[in-house]
Amino acid sequence: MEKLIAHHAVAEHGSEQMRNIYFIGTAGSGKSSLVRSYKEWLDLNGIDSVTVNLDPGADSLPYVPDVDIREWIDLYEVMDEYSLGPNGAQVVCADLMAVNIGKLTDVLDSFRTEYALIDTPGQLELFVFRNSSSVIVEALGKERSMSVFLADPMLCRTSNGFISSMMLSSIVQFRLQMPSMNILSKSDLLDENELNKVLQWFSDPDALYGDMLDNDTDPQTVVGMELFKAMEGIGVFGDIRAVSSSESLGMEELYGASQQCFFGGEDADVN
């Protein structure tokens, strides 16, 4: 593939120039796979980045993280020390991340790079709903951060599931208070008609509402229609990028959207 841009020279204090991209989504939505695929695409195009794993409970990852919270927090040690099961230990680990944030930032400060691709815990609520997330985001530089919300295609294929996913996306943006973009992950799992319908729902809320009206005898849909009205009022709907980590699709669109967020559409030029 022809390189999109030349490899940029990075300033002496790399962490001050580095942009943070948080990959957030429900368990199984494909966060780690997207981090791997996007990292490979950036490397191929001469764009320097590092990967950061913030999931202390990850048994295995499809990439080798440059910075790994598991170096300081071990889920199984927390289970033993506090006599907790896996779920309770995950909550404690989420708070311990904030306690250990200085160690993580020290390591990140040693990198001279353009982007940090931050892989958040598999359980969305462990990152988004804990106060420790605010500590982490602020410590890493909230003013140069954005989030990528991965919408699960298996949830989004029905109108009610789509509304549920958009509610989660709205909550993530509300909680983190940073620029956010929606990604339809694992888009290769949908057939062409399903994919086109989901993409249309994002860009044309009237089409979504019309499809919900066709199923308005379902009590769940009635509630969903009220949620739809609320979300439309706050401007939730808009563009979405369909990506597939397994087929390396949508990486250029993801990069373009991040450039629009960070630099108004211009390629970064860090000197």
Side-chain angles (χ1 to χ4, degrees):
M1 173 187 285
E2 182 180 357
K3 294 186 184 302
L4 295 181
I5 63 174
H7 183 71
H8 302 308
V10 182
E12 180 179 357
H13 300 291
S15 63
E16 296 178 1
Q17 300 295 332
M18 181 168 53
R19 267 58 183 184
N20 304 311
I21 305 178
Y22 292 84
F23 293 82
I24 300 172
T26 55
S29 60
K31 297 182 293 295
S32 297
S33 295
L34 181 55
V35 167
R36 180 211 68 223
S37 186
Y38 190 46
K39 167 65 174 172
E40 291 173 351
W41 185 90
L42 290 173
D43 288 346
L44 186 62
N45 287 280
I47 305 166
D48 197 71
S49 65
V50 295
T51 54
V52 181
N53 172 48
L54 287 186
D55 188 353
D59 290 327
S60 62
L61 293 168
Y63 60 91
V64 178
D66 297 295
V67 184
D68 194 342
I69 195 67
R70 294 176 298 180
E71 293 184 16
W72 303 287
I73 303 173
D74 184 281
L75 175 67
Y76 299 102
E77 289 182 1
V78 170
M79 290 172 62
D80 291 339
E81 181 177 351
Y82 294 91
S83 300
L84 295 170
N87 291 334
Q90 286 276 19
V91 173
V92 173
C93 285
D95 293 335
L96 288 175
M97 283 196 289
V99 175
N100 288 271
I101 191 61
K103 299 175 183 177
L104 188 143
T105 54
D106 285 346
V107 175
L108 270 178
D109 284 346
S110 68
F111 287 97
R112 297 162 60 186
T113 188
E114 298 175 55
Y115 295 98
L117 312 182
I118 303 174
D119 192 2
T120 60
Q123 292 82 357
L124 175 149
E125 65 275 11
L126 291 175
F127 185 73
V128 174
F129 297 145
R130 306 294 299 177
N131 289 333
S132 56
S133 65
S134 297
V135 175
I136 294 169
V137 169
E138 291 289 348
L140 297 186
K142 183 176 181 179
E143 71 283 355
R144 45 189 170 80
S145 299
M146 66 174 292
S147 65
V148 174
F149 178 80
L150 282 72
D152 192 318
M154 295 298 100
L155 179 61
C156 289
R157 68 199 306 179
T158 66
S159 57
N160 286 327
F162 180 88
I163 289 291
S164 300
S165 184
M166 287 302 91
M167 283 292 296
L168 282 175
S169 174
S170 301
I171 291 170
V172 168
Q173 189 168 6
F174 172 74
R175 289 283 300 173
L176 298 182
Q177 294 293 302
M178 69 172 69
S180 180
M181 61 182 291
N182 289 312
I183 289 292
L184 182 63
S185 68
K186 301 181 180 179
S187 60
D188 57 292
L189 297 181
L190 300 176
D191 62 40
E192 185 176 357
N193 290 332
E194 289 176 326
L195 178 59
N196 290 336
K197 176 176 285 190
V198 172
L199 294 179
Q200 183 185 27
W201 284 344
F202 273 101
S203 61
D204 183 6
D206 290 339
L208 171 61
Y209 193 72
D211 286 339
M212 297 181 76
L213 283 174
D214 292 339
N215 195 31
D216 62 0
T217 57
D218 184 345
Q220 188 181 50
T221 300
V222 175
V223 175
M225 291 170 73
E226 294 303 314
L227 292 175
F228 166 86
K229 294 175 184 176
M231 287 190 292
E232 186 180 32
I234 60 176
V236 169
F237 301 99
D239 292 336
I240 189 173
R241 281 81 185 174
V243 303
S244 169
S245 300
S246 63
E247 299 182 5
S248 296
L249 298 176
M251 301 301 123
E252 185 171 348
E253 289 77 8
L254 175 54
Y255 177 73
S258 67
Q259 292 301 100
Q260 184 66 42
C261 173
F262 291 129
F263 308 108
E266 300 294 330
D267 279 340
D269 187 12
V270 184
N271 294 302

